[in-house]
Amino acid sequence: MGIKRKKIEIEIDERLCKGCDICVILCSEKVFTISKKINSNGYYVPIPSNIENCNGCLICELICPELAVILEKTELDELVAL
Amino acid sequence: MENKYVKYLRNETLPTEFCVGCGCGTVLNLFCHVIDEMQINPDDIITVTGIGCSSWIPSPYFSADTLHTTHGRAIAFATGVKVMKPGKHVIVIAGDGDLAGIGGNHLIHAARRNIGLTVFLVNNYIYGMTGGQVSPTTPSTVNTATTPYGNVEQPMQIAELVAAAGASYVARWTTYHVFHLKKAMKEAISKKGFSFIEICSQCPTSYGKRVGKREGIDQLLDFKENSMNIQNVSGMREDELEGKYIVGKLVERNRLEFVDGLLNINAQFAEGVR
């Protein structure tokens, strides 16, 4: 018995992000870091630098006021032992 | 890669005009998730809104049939829409100044009639768009643009008021409680009768700067630390609850819905004529 391992991909839409850093601070696993790169609107867009820590709780996607966080979960075939 | 929920928005209006860290965007985001998960066709939704920052959630951002009405009259317009189109989801999203302040009377009587509207009241505790005037929900400790030397009025507890007026479903959540709020929005949309959710939201520009929380995240952390579930507050004194956000489901009950009652009467008279 086991559950399927999930692969998680996170991307931030640079067109929409306004750099409010809510995702950076509220993420319990510290997945995001504040970047030094600005987007075309002049905001500092965070980078999902520690994706391997992500537990897929979805708070970043749900709380983002600009719908800029895109989190995709895909189920892999390999099983994780319980 | 683009967010799959962007298809529910009017793409030419993006990125949104909301201030950095505003809670209205979170409500918009959750509303898109709810519509997607409930598999409601946006053509079956009619959104009605008034004037204010949170009234921008349906108009212009959410792409459905929209009525952007005069200040405070969103529920009055929505009542007409619901009576003429009982099969559609009529959803009102507006702010505390709009629904509780200027349109307070419409809100109470729509709840009393138990008409099948879904109302999301985004409560940012101030008139944010016009520069921070005192609203009926502003706490009495906060100085605003119109009460610079202190606010002597006591805030109104809107969710309790609507529950007492007779709504079918009443809940209060904050923009920090995204999972609870999403579940409550689903329950409110599927509930027959008047369903109401007060969403406590952050306003960094007009409210946050007056209480020393200049970023959206500061107010979100305040919601996180000072929220109490309604099941745990019974028996607590009023001074203990000062500055706390009491969240949870206040009321869920089954009462006769207004349009159903109206159609019943119409049917009786139609038979009598024959």
Side-chain angles (χ1 to χ4, degrees), chain A residues 18 57 61 63-67, chain B residues 3 16 18 25-26 29 33 179:
Chain A
K18 282 191 191 153
C57 75
E61 188 186 298
I63 212 162
C64 177
E66 304 296 329
L67 289 92
Chain B
N3 195 328
T16 65
F18 295 134
T26 304
N29 189 350
H33 276 81
F179 301 102

Side-chain angles (χ1 to χ4, degrees), chain A residues 11 13 15-16 18-20 22 25-26 41 43 57-59 61-70 72, chain B residues 1-3 5 11 14-18 20-22 25-26 29-30 33 175-176 178-179 182 217 220-221:
Chain A
E11 200 176 301
D13 193 336
R15 179 176 74 110
L16 300 180
K18 282 191 191 153
C20 63
I22 286 176
I25 295 166
L26 284 188
N41 296 331
Y43 297 115
C57 75
L58 278 173
I59 193 167
E61 188 186 298
L62 287 172
I63 212 162
C64 177
E66 304 296 329
L67 289 92
V69 180
I70 306 156
E72 280 199 356
Chain B
M1 196 159 72
E2 196 174 56
N3 195 328
Y5 300 101
N11 201 22
L14 298 176
T16 65
E17 301 275 339
F18 295 134
V20 174
C22 174
T26 304
N29 189 350
L30 289 171
H33 276 81
T175 44
Y176 173 74
V178 280
F179 301 102
K182 195 171 83 169
I217 182 70
L220 279 173
L221 294 174

Side-chain angles (χ1 to χ4, degrees), chain A residues 63-67, chain B residues 16 18-19 21-31 52-58 61 93-95 122-124 175 199-204:
Chain A
I63 212 162
C64 177
E66 304 296 329
L67 289 92
Chain B
T16 65
F18 295 134
C19 307
C22 174
C24 297
T26 304
V27 179
L28 175 67
N29 189 350
L30 289 171
F31 188 54
C53 294
S54 43
S55 301
W56 279 54
I57 295 167
Y61 300 123
I93 305 179
V122 184
N123 183 359
N124 60 4
T175 44
I199 304 164
C200 304
S201 163
Q202 71 270 28
C203 174

Side-chain angles (χ1 to χ4, degrees), chain B residues 89-149:
Chain B
H89 296 279
V90 183
I91 297 169
V92 179
I93 305 179
D96 55 318
D98 192 70
L99 288 180
I102 292 166
N105 207 12
H106 297 295
L107 179 69
I108 300 166
H109 288 284
R112 179 180 64 83
R113 285 169 159 174
N114 202 28
I115 182 158
L117 306 175
T118 307
V119 179
F120 298 140
L121 187 150
V122 184
N123 183 359
N124 60 4
Y125 299 97
I126 209 155
Y127 281 92
M129 185 179 264
T130 46
Q133 290 81 8
V134 66
S135 91
T137 51
T138 309
S140 51
T141 49
V142 180
N143 295 358
T144 68
T146 43
T147 57
Y149 305 112

Side-chain angles (χ1 to χ4, degrees), chain B residues 109-116 166-168 193-194 255-258:
Chain B
H109 288 284
R112 179 180 64 83
R113 285 169 159 174
N114 202 28
I115 182 158
S168 280
F194 192 85
R255 283 179 62 216
L256 177 68
E257 203 258 329
F258 177 74

Side-chain angles (χ1 to χ4, degrees), chain B residues 228-240:
Chain B
M228 292 185 77
N229 198 297
I230 192 154
Q231 291 164 347
N232 305 332
V233 298
S234 59
M236 286 181 78
R237 291 194 315 275
E238 239 177 57
D239 55 319
E240 286 176 318

